[in-house]
Amino acid sequence: MGKYIFFIITLSLVLLLAACSEKKEEKIITVSAAASLTEPLQKVKEKFEESHPNVKVVFNFGSSGALKQQIIQGAPVDVFIAASRKHVDELVSKDLIQSSANLLKNDLVLIFGERVSLSELSHLKNMKSIAIGTPEVVPAGDYAKEALTNSGVWTDIQGKLVFAKDVKHVLTLVQSGNVDVGIVYKSDVQKHFPKSRVINIPSSLHSEIIYPVGIIKQSNEAEQFQEFLRENESQQIFLEYGFREVE
């Protein structure tokens, strides 16, 4: 009987230690991502954590330029998803990114309220205020500046520009009526503002909008998340929000 009780106690301790060990094995990966990816990435996270129960994904959203600077300054980031290839390439040149791949494409649009009369870029000259992301740190603002320059209206509207910290800020300014019009990504309006007045900006007026994903801190979990982003289940979520697949 004594040996039996000893066996039961020993077995219970082994199972308890195994359970504690399994709980301790939960890994946390930090993902810094462009603000325009906020909603679809939250859905992707749910799917990823369902299939990887021992991995928890924590997001840090913001403008790609600001996130890049955080990484350069030593922020503890595992995966970086930018809205511009150049921000990832800069980190690659500094040996801060171990591997990277193109993930998604996007498009630019003009978004404006019901009281605004607008049908093409040249009409921006008649607007009182126009919001774009700060070009130096917000890729959408950089693409917007390029499109406005190539369309010949940049010089005429500089005094009307309101610079925002990211595309979400641009949307807020437009939706609140604080500016007449804003330039954001198609993905920013397709899901949440489908009834907004929107005009597509020709892709020929700006560089191709590419979202690359890069691994900062190499780990099995980071690699698994990067691969999951490129799987069909995740890509379908991104497509629902107006992103496009990379060929």
Side-chain angles (χ1 to χ4, degrees):
M1 178 64 72
K3 290 183 178 180
Y4 178 75
I5 294 175
F6 177 77
F7 173 76
I8 294 298
I9 293 174
T10 302
L11 179 60
S12 298
L13 288 172
V14 169
L15 293 174
L16 180 61
L17 289 172
C20 292
S21 175
E22 184 178 350
K23 188 174 182 179
K24 289 180 179 179
E25 288 178 1
E26 181 182 70
K27 300 290 185 179
I28 297 177
I29 58 173
T30 300
V31 178
S32 286
S36 51
L37 289 164
T38 301
E39 288 82 8
L41 274 183
Q42 294 290 0
K43 287 194 172 184
V44 170
K45 169 185 172 174
E46 293 177 8
K47 299 294 184 181
F48 177 78
E49 291 181 346
E50 285 177 7
S51 58
H52 300 75
N54 291 328
V55 184
K56 180 177 177 58
V57 180
V58 177
F59 289 123
N60 175 31
F61 293 106
S63 67
S64 297
L67 296 174
K68 176 194 69 178
Q69 288 303 320
Q70 291 174 10
I71 293 170
I72 292 174
Q73 292 166 12
V77 177
D78 297 288
V79 178
F80 179 40
I81 312 174
S84 171
R85 184 76 233 181
K86 71 177 184 180
H87 291 300
V88 166
D89 288 343
E90 182 177 343
L91 295 181
V92 170
S93 70
K94 295 179 181 295
D95 295 325
L96 293 175
I97 281 186
Q98 306 302 315
S99 62
S100 67
N102 291 335
L103 179 63
L104 301 164
K105 292 183 179 181
N106 213 335
D107 298 289
L108 282 184
V109 299
L110 294 170
I111 179 172
F112 48 98
E114 295 181 356
R115 298 180 180 180
V116 175
S117 177
L118 181 66
S119 60
E120 58 184 60
L121 283 175
S122 63
H123 294 164
L124 289 175
K125 299 176 183 179
N126 303 322
M127 300 296 105
K128 293 181 179 179
S129 54
I130 305 154
I132 67 171
T134 304
E136 292 74 19
V137 294
V138 183
D142 194 20
Y143 295 126
K145 179 179 179 180
E146 189 178 2
L148 294 170
T149 299
N150 290 333
S151 65
V153 301
W154 175 257
T155 302
D156 295 323
I157 66 170
Q158 285 191 56
K160 303 177 180 182
L161 291 172
V162 176
F163 296 106
K165 63 180 181 179
D166 55 37
V167 287
K168 299 301 183 186
H169 188 197
V170 174
L171 280 173
T172 299
L173 290 170
V174 176
Q175 294 296 317
S176 64
N178 287 322
V179 298
D180 294 328
V181 60
I183 298 180
V184 296
Y185 295 122
K186 180 180 179 181
S187 61
D188 292 308
V189 300
Q190 178 161 311
K191 195 75 173 179
H192 295 295
F193 305 103
K195 296 182 180 179
S196 296
R197 303 179 70 190
V198 172
I199 294 176
N200 293 324
I201 295 178
S203 59
S204 59
L205 292 175
H206 57 78
S207 303
E208 189 173 36
I209 301 174
I210 297 287
Y211 284 66
V213 53
I215 294 179
I216 308 296
K217 185 178 179 182
Q218 200 79 33
S219 69
N220 289 333
E221 293 73 28
E223 291 178 0
Q224 288 171 356
F225 186 69
Q226 183 190 49
E227 184 60 33
F228 190 81
L229 290 170
R230 300 170 68 187
E231 292 180 3
N232 184 62
E233 184 176 18
S234 298
Q235 288 291 308
Q236 287 304 311
I237 292 174
F238 290 123
L239 291 177
E240 289 175 8
Y241 279 84
F243 291 90
R244 292 188 288 115
E245 292 180 295
V246 174
E247 292 82 4

